[in-house]
């Protein structure tokens, strides 16, 4: 995608403004331009009438044509003569001429087909700004004002229009026409208006461009208004105007604030037509000593002075450079103080005159007509300039970074000026009446967000009006990167500033993050259309990097075309346009690699027909023929090969069997194998099972061509399965046609199969199964059965297809080997999108757990741990040790690329994987054959997955158990969101030294004693886990919880209890019975009696459990019998209780909120169970029996 001029907005109503302003006598013609009707009827004119016309051309028709042409000519002249300003935000366009002004604002309208919204500039307001015929509009500038809201991020809030008059007045309006401010600074006409704002991205250069200011140029005087003063004053005036409109009164312009400004008298420059401000710069040593040499010693600036630099354009000299020392300019505080003192003085004198009777004779009208006092500017001498007696510069336009500027003069020259030195560093000739602008582009993945570190390219836009050509030049000494023929009656609009007050409205470290100035340079065409200029960043680069960026941009354009093509209806006209568009895109590629990527993308699009592909390859083959460039030759060769393959594919999909048979001989196919490209895939598409060669017969032959054909048959069989899997995924079981190429088949070719090792087929088939099959394990299970009934095969087409494939390739599709490849495919998909595809990780472990071959199972699980789990577990462990709790979502994403929920599931799957390793390490070894098939065993290529798995050793039981303990601890902390716990505190020093060593490393188990501190920490951790698990269960008395949610919660709690029991079994010194008793008691307290009874079966010490259960039952009885909301109902129950039972239940009353209010019968069952397991001579046994009798009496 090269530079282009694209539609920005329509300005059709600009013609309405012209018709409204220009009072032309359309019915009259000037005497010198009148037409003689006799001349129209003479013999010479009649000879020009064509034979067969119904009537001759009349004088009225010619008059109408003449008036229309004259009107168009006057309109084009009016566009070039009037003053035009537009907002850099692209939402406001202002047109002014003489006394009148019109404001057009942007609105969006639906296109004719309704597919998109198109911007149009509609007439918003127009009017006459002055009644004095001698006062005319001389200059305008449109400035968007930044919003102070932080959420707007520097976006414009409203727009002001600054208008300069020939009388010297400066008036500022809002876009609705309301006058905000009127002030005169000098009694000469306003020559120019310039606004300098803080750039959206700062450049670390010689100038400090962070200050904002409005510059007003008179004949030899310049007025500088600081941006902060202007911003605050305009906001105050706008608020005053809004209050006046709300009250329905006329706004009082006379009482509004005045602007604080600096006024300079620019000396030693004969004629000044334009001026720019470059910002502040510190004087260097060279400039200091040069100034001593060239100027008087009295005017030499201090050696370390900071100056504001201004560059003027005009005549004698052409370019002048002025330096204003900052210490000469009054500070902003002093300006405000002076303004406040002046206002206070006027108010005091006005009040005093009213009290004492003075000033009664001065009327309001006389006071308004009184001319203000105009002060002379502070003299500023010319630093140096570019002298040329015959040259006069009309304009000077600064670059966005203020390091460069360009001037346009009367001798058809365009000069590039270095603003640091004031020197002309480049010149363009033959550009009379040229119009110039600048565009700065950035290297960024997001066009709306530009960072300070982004690379940028600067381009100069030159519109040669006399030739009607718009040129784009790379700065400073770069070439012309593009040229467009746009016509001779256009106008180039360039603002040169951005939104005012960006630094005041948002944080200082965020400068215009949304890039509001996206339309700093526009083209106004005579057909009432505004167009913008798009320049890609790669135009600022050269060499291979520029070519890569250009191809990347072209690939994006191709992707957009293909995406729109998916939802579009294709007819003959659309297909013809598509051919031309795609041919143009492919012709712009520079690198063959990009060309091949583009071709693959087009092949993946089902809407692109084969005829379009053939047209593209034919056109490119012709365009690249005979070119000497190396890259072009490679593209030409690729086109030739691609065209041959497409023609062959067309023949294969043809219904004529003769063409197929002529191409299926081994000699012919073997000859096609000489094509040196991996795109040989296309000949294998859509071959059916009617191939006449038998694989076994061909395989037994010793001739190389038969061996080749046998391999080809295997590849054809796999291709058919791939086509089937693609159609099943897209719910389209029809055979592939020549206009639709399944993406799954694009990577299959015989050359790749022969050079990818003997694991090519299992890996490829596993990829198709995992990507397309929904119930993979069901399909794999059918492969392990020696006999699969016909009914099952007919019901499930996947099983039928995979069984047929297994019968054709029995050794290649061995169930355990294929399952191994499926596990790896699943986990690779998870690795690409860790959080989105967490289910792929779960499926991988699920298939691994159900593999029957323990040798493959053990080696594969260890390989998976090393490649996909070990590093992430190491990082998560370090993170938990650092924060001392379960990390939040942000930290999880930073350290592992997964959210907290995905990390929880990842840790659970890690515990399951280590459990598989621990189980298989103790089982006997089963011999596995490395052979795949006699046809493919001798193929070259890397080792396959099975070879890598079989070289793995068995896991070291101690290291495996240690890592399983660690993963279990991490999982419990993460899933329960536990706090104040560091995993490393649960392990001794010797164990921590073994962390993240290779699981197969042969080391002796170190002696680990039962340290009391570790035992205490582990027991405390176990009890905390029990409380956290039971707290996560929903309340049994809550009615809003569905049964499904309760079942899920029960299953999750059971899973967590199992992991906790594993830790209790493997941690040294931990009191397992104590943890189990705590589980039972916590479950009983929350009303999960069934789960508690199941958990009680794991406890050996029944006496202690019985004592705890009596206490739990007492808590539940107290919660029911002494409930605050049921006092009256329980009075009768209290009266029926024996005193000692009442006192005991009362003593068990607790403030804990976890105790559930459950029926007495359920609690009675707990007491009965406790009495059965308690010794008869214990005190708790007596209490339990007494309470049982009392409760039975109540019930």
């Amino acid at each position: 995608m090269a530079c282009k001029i694209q539609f920005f907005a329509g300005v059709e109503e600009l013609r309405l403004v012209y018709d409204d302003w220009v009072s032309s006598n359309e019915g009259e013609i000037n005497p010198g331009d009148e037409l003689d009707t006799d001349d129209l009827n003479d013999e010479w004119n009649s000879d020009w009438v064509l034979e067969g016309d119904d009537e001759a051309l009349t004088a009225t028709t010619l008059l109408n044509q003449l008036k229309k042409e004259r009107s168009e000519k006057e309109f084009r002249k009016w566009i070039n003569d009037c003053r035009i300003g537009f907002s850099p935000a692209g939402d406001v366009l202002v047109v002014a001429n003489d006394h009148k002004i019109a404001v057009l604002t942007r609105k969006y309208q639906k296109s004719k087909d309704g597919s998109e919204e198109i911007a149009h500039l509609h007439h918003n307001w127009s009017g006459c700004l002055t009644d004095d015929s001698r006062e005319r509009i001389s200059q305008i500038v449109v400035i968007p004002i930044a919003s102070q809201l932080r959420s707007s991020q520097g976006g414009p809030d409203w727009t002001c229009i600054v208008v300069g008059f020939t009388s010297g007045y400066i008036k500022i309006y809002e876009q609705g026409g309301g006058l905000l401010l009127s002030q005169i600074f000098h009694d000469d006409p306003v020559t120019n208006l310039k606004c300098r704002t803080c750039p959206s991205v700062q450049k670390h250069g010689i100038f400090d461009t962070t200050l904002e200011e409005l510059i007003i140029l008179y004949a030899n005087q310049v007025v500088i208004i600081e941006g902060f003063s202007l911003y605050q004053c305009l906001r105050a005036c706008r608020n005053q105007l809004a209050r006046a409109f709300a009250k329905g009164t006329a706004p009082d312009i006379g009482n509004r604030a005045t602007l604080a400004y600096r006024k300079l008298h620019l000396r030693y420059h004969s004629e000044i037509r334009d001026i720019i401000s470059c910002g502040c710069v510190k004087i260097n040593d060279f400039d200091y000593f040069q100034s001593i040499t060239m100027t008087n010693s009295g005017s030499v600036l201090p050696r370390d002075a900071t100056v504001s630099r201004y560059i003027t354009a005009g005549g004698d000299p052409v370019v002048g450079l002025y330096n204003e020392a900052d210490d000469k300019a009054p500070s902003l505080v002093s300006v405000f103080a002076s303004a406040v003192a002046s206002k206070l003085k006027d108010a005091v004198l006005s009040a005093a005159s009213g009290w004492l009777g003075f000033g009664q004779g001065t009327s309001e009208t006389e006071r308004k007509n009184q001319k203000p006092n105009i002060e002379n500017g502070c003299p500023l001498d010319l630093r140096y300039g570019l002298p040329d007696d015959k040259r006069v510069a009309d304009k000077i336009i600064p670059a966005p970074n203020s390091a460069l500027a360009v001037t346009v003069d009367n001798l058809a020259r365009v000069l590039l000026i270095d603003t640091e030195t004031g020197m002309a560093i480049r010149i363009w000739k033959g550009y009379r009446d040229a119009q110039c602008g600048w565009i700065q582009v950035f290297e960024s993945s997001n066009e709306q967000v530009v960072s300070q570190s982004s690379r940028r390219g600067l381009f100069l836009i030159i519109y040669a009006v006399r030739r009607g050509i718009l040129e784009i030049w790379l700065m400073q000494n770069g070439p012309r990167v593009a040229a467009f023929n746009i016509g001779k009656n256009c106008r180039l609009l360039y603002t040169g500033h951005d939104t005012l007050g960006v630094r005041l409205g948002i944080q200082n470290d965020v400068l215009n993050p949304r890039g509001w100035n996206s339309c700093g340079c526009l083209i106004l065409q005579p057909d009432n259309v505004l167009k913008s200029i798009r320049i890609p960043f790669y135009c600022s680069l050269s060499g291979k990097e520029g070519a890569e960026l250009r191809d990347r941009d072209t690939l994006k354009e191709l992707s957009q075309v293909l995406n729109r093509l998916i939802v579009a209806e294709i007819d003959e006209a659309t297909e013809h346009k598509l051919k031309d568009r795609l041919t143009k895109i492919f012709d712009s590629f520079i690198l063959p690699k990009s060309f091949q990527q583009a071709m693959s993308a087009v092949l993946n699009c089902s809407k692109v027909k084969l005829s379009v592909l053939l047209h593209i390859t034919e056109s490119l083959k012709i365009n690249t023929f005979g070119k000497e460039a190396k890259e072009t030759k490679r593209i030409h060769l690729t086109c030739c090969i691609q065209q041959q393959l497409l023609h062959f594919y067309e023949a294969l999909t043809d219904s004529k069997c003769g063409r197929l048979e002529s191409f299926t001989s081994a000699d012919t196919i073997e000859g096609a194998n000489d094509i040196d490209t991996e795109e040989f895939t296309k000949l294998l598409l859509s071959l059916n099972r009617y191939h006449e060669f038998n694989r076994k017969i061909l395989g037994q032959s010793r001739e190389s061509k038969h061996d080749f054909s046998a391999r080809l048959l295997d590849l054809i069989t796999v291709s058919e399965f791939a086509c089937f899997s693609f159609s099943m995924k897209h719910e389209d079981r029809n055979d592939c046609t020549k206009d639709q190429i399944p993406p799954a088949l694009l990577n299959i070719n015989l050359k790749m199969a022969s050079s990818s090792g003997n694991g090519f087929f299992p890996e490829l088939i596993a990829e198709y199964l995992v990507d397309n099959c929904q119930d993979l394990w069901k399909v794999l299970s059918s492969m392990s059965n020696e006999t699969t009934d016909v009914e099952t095969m007919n019901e499930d087409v996947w099983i039928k297809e995979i069984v047929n494939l297994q019968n054709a390739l029995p050794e290649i599709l061995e169930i355990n080997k294929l399952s191994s490849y499926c596990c790896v495919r699943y986990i690779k998909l998870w690795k690409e999108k860790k959080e989105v595809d967490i289910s792929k990780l779960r499926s991988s472990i699920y298939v691994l757990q159900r593999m029957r071959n323990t040798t493959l199972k053990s080696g594969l699980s260890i390989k998976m741990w090393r490649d996909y789990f070990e590093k992430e577990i190491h990082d998560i462990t370090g993170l938990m040790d650092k924060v001392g709790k379960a990390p939040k979502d942000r930290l999880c994403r930073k350290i592992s690329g997964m959210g907290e929920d995905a990390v929880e599931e990842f840790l659970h799957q890690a515990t399951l994987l280590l459990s598989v390793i621990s189980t298989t390490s103790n089982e006997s070894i089963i011999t596995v054959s490395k052979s795949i098939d006699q046809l493919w065993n001798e193929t070259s290529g890397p080792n396959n997955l099975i070879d890598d798995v079989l070289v793995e050793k068995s896991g070291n039981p101690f290291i495996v158990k240690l890592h399983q303990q660690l993963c279990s601890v991490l999982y419990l902390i993460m899933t329960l969101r536990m706090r104040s716990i560091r995993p490393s505190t649960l392990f001794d020093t010797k164990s921590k030294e073994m962390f993240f060593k290779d699981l197969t490393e042969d080391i002796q188990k170190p002696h680990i004693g039962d340290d009391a501190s570790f035992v205490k920490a582990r027991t405390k951790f176990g009890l905390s886990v029990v409380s956290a698990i039971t707290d996560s269960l929903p309340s049994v008395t809550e009615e809003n919880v569905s049964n499904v949610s309760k079942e899920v919660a029960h299953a999750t709690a059971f899973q967590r209890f199992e992991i906790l029991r594993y830790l209790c079994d493997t941690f040294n010194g931990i009191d397992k019975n104590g943890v189990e008793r705590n589980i039972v008691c916590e479950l009983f307290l929350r009303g999960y009696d069934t789960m508690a009874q199941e958990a009680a079966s794991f406890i050996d010490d029944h006496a202690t459990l019985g004592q705890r259960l009596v206490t739990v039952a007492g808590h539940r009885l107290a919660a029911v019998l002494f409930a605050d909301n049921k006092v009256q109902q329980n009075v009768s129950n209290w009266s029926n209780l024996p005193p000692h039972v009442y006192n005991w239940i009362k003593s068990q009353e607790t403030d804990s909120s976890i105790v559930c209010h459950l029926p007495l019968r359920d609690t009675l069952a707990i007491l009965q169970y406790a009495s059965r397991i308690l010794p008869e001579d214990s005190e708790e046994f007596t209490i339990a029996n007494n309470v049982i009798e009392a409760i039975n009496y109540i019930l």
Side-chain angles (χ1 to χ4, degrees), residues 586-656:
F586 274 89
D587 196 28
S588 62
F589 284 110
I590 300 176
L591 302 177
K593 177 179 67 174
S594 304
F595 176 83
Q596 293 171 0
Q597 292 178 1
M599 185 60 70
S600 298
V602 174
L603 290 173
N604 277 326
C605 184
S606 59
K607 288 294 188 72
V608 180
K609 295 184 178 181
L610 186 62
S611 58
V612 177
L613 297 176
L614 290 172
H615 176 79
I616 294 173
T617 53
E618 180 65 25
S619 301
L620 293 178
K621 189 175 71 171
I622 295 174
N623 294 339
T624 56
F625 177 75
K627 299 293 179 67
E628 296 297 330
K630 180 180 178 182
E631 304 294 343
T632 308
K633 286 184 177 180
R634 292 179 60 187
I635 291 180
H636 178 76
L637 177 61
T638 306
C639 288
C640 296
I641 297 172
Q642 190 71 49
Q643 189 179 36
Q644 295 176 14
L645 293 171
L646 290 172
H647 281 304
F648 182 49
Y649 174 65
E650 184 179 23
L652 291 175
T653 53
D654 198 287
S655 59
K656 298 179 181 180

Side-chain angles (χ1 to χ4, degrees), residues 728-752:
M728 289 296 297
K729 182 178 181 180
H730 294 80
E731 298 181 356
D732 181 11
R733 301 184 185 181
N734 298 326
D735 292 336
C736 297
T737 63
K738 63 182 179 181
D739 289 332
Q740 181 179 4
I741 304 176
L745 306 183
L746 292 179
N747 292 328
I748 304 177
N749 59 72
L750 192 57
K751 180 182 178 182
M752 181 186 296

Side-chain angles (χ1 to χ4, degrees), residues 1063-1106:
L1063 290 176
C1064 293
D1065 291 336
T1066 57
F1067 270 155
N1068 294 333
I1070 192 171
D1071 184 8
K1072 178 183 177 181
N1073 284 327
V1075 175
E1076 290 287 357
R1077 282 195 300 270
N1078 206 51
I1079 293 175
V1080 174
C1081 294
E1082 292 284 344
L1083 291 174
F1084 270 129
L1085 283 174
R1086 286 165 173 78
Y1088 288 93
D1089 296 356
T1090 304
M1091 292 180 63
Q1093 291 174 8
E1094 294 176 0
S1097 61
F1098 293 96
I1099 300 176
D1100 299 329
D1101 188 1
H1102 292 136
T1104 307
L1105 175 62

Side-chain angles (χ1 to χ4, degrees), residues 257-459:
T258 57
L259 293 170
Y261 62 93
R262 307 194 313 273
K263 189 174 181 180
L264 303 175
H265 179 203
L266 305 179
R267 301 197 298 182
Y268 309 119
H269 197 155
S270 300
E271 182 183 2
I272 301 177
R273 295 191 178 185
D274 202 355
I275 188 172
I276 63 170
S277 171
C278 301
C280 296
V281 60
K282 189 174 182 180
I283 297 296
N284 55 38
D285 292 341
F286 177 81
D287 291 338
Y288 173 73
F289 290 113
Q290 186 186 36
S291 63
I292 292 177
T293 305
M294 301 179 63
T295 61
N296 297 327
S297 59
S299 61
V300 175
L301 295 173
R303 188 167 184 176
D304 57 347
T306 300
V307 298
S308 297
R309 177 160 297 175
Y310 302 96
I311 300 180
T312 56
D316 191 24
V318 180
V319 175
L321 188 146
Y322 291 86
N323 288 336
E324 180 200 9
D326 282 354
D327 54 357
K328 295 182 179 181
S331 65
L332 197 59
V333 176
S334 64
V335 171
F336 279 144
S338 176
V340 171
S342 177
K343 287 289 183 181
L344 184 60
K345 175 184 175 182
D346 294 341
V348 171
L349 292 178
S350 176
S353 63
W355 294 337
L356 301 176
F358 301 129
Q360 299 295 330
T362 303
S363 64
E364 183 70 19
T365 304
E366 292 176 354
R367 185 171 59 86
K368 288 185 178 180
N369 293 332
Q370 186 177 1
K371 190 173 181 178
N373 185 22
I374 298 177
E375 301 176 353
N376 292 325
C378 178
L380 186 63
D381 294 342
L382 179 68
R383 175 70 178 81
Y384 55 81
L386 298 178
D388 191 337
D389 295 339
K390 297 182 180 180
R391 190 183 306 273
V392 178
D394 296 323
K395 294 180 181 180
I396 181 169
I397 303 101
N401 56 13
S402 296
L404 300 173
V406 66
T407 64
V408 180
D409 58 38
N410 62 334
L411 300 181
R413 303 293 191 269
V414 176
L415 272 68
L416 183 65
I417 307 297
D418 183 353
T419 57
E420 180 183 4
T421 61
M423 301 295 182
I425 59 177
R426 193 171 183 180
I427 187 170
W428 289 266
K429 299 180 180 180
Y431 291 86
R432 189 172 300 277
D433 299 330
Q435 302 172 15
C436 297
W438 298 89
I439 291 181
Q440 187 172 219
V441 297
F442 299 89
E443 181 188 27
S444 178
S445 58
N446 188 347
E447 296 180 356
Q448 299 298 327
V449 179
V450 179
S451 64
Q452 299 286 352
S453 60
S454 298
R455 293 191 296 174
R456 65 212 68 183
L458 184 62
F459 298 88

